[in-house]
Amino acid sequence: TWLLERSERISRGIRLPTSIPSNETDLATWDDFKQRATWHEVLCPHGWTSPDGDHWTRPGKSQGLSARVGKAADGTSILAVWSSNAGPLSPRIGSDKRELNKFEAYKLLNHSGDASAAAKDTYSRGYGSRHDKATSDQIAEGLPAKHV
């Protein structure tokens, strides 16, 4: 009956959605990245070093610490940077530290702060929900969706 109703709607010229709507289990690219990426993946390609994954030294500094990993109130892993020589991760003028989640640090280090470019990049690397999309014709004909 569902398929018959859909076919009738198409034949009467009623416009159907071009893809299946997403649901509440969707995970945004940046949220997935914040959960699954590691600080090593974010920082090491830019010369940061760490003896334990929690305490970090900025590039160009041979000893001492520049940042530390902690938890935000919501449980998100954050990097607290206090070095004023930490490049794009440095605290803002007038502030003694800067707290960043993994996606914020990634977008600053890799995309000059461009969130859209960082989201596209991380999506291409496998972060974020993937969906099977189906056209209205496929839905009406009962054909399987294509994976995109």
Side-chain angles (χ1 to χ4, degrees), residues 22-33 36 122-123 126-133 147-148:
S22 59
N23 59 45
E24 58 277 346
T25 62
D26 288 348
L27 191 58
T29 303
W30 47 88
D31 289 331
D32 191 19
F33 187 83
R36 293 194 300 128
T122 53
Y123 184 84
Y127 293 95
S129 297
R130 300 298 194 267
H131 296 289
D132 287 337
K133 304 247 181 201
H147 184 70
V148 289

Side-chain angles (χ1 to χ4, degrees), residues 88-142:
L89 303 185
S90 295
R92 292 187 172 97
I93 295 172
S95 180
D96 62 342
K97 71 177 176 179
R98 185 173 190 180
E99 295 181 346
L100 304 153
N101 64 48
K102 292 173 194 165
F103 186 79
E104 291 168 333
Y106 185 84
K107 77 178 178 182
L108 288 168
L109 290 168
N110 295 286
H111 298 283
S112 302
D114 184 338
S116 178
K120 289 175 186 173
D121 178 20
T122 53
Y123 184 84
S124 74
R125 294 176 54 216
Y127 293 95
S129 297
R130 300 298 194 267
H131 296 289
D132 287 337
K133 304 247 181 201
T135 67
S136 55
D137 291 338
Q138 287 172 315
I139 294 169
E141 294 175 25

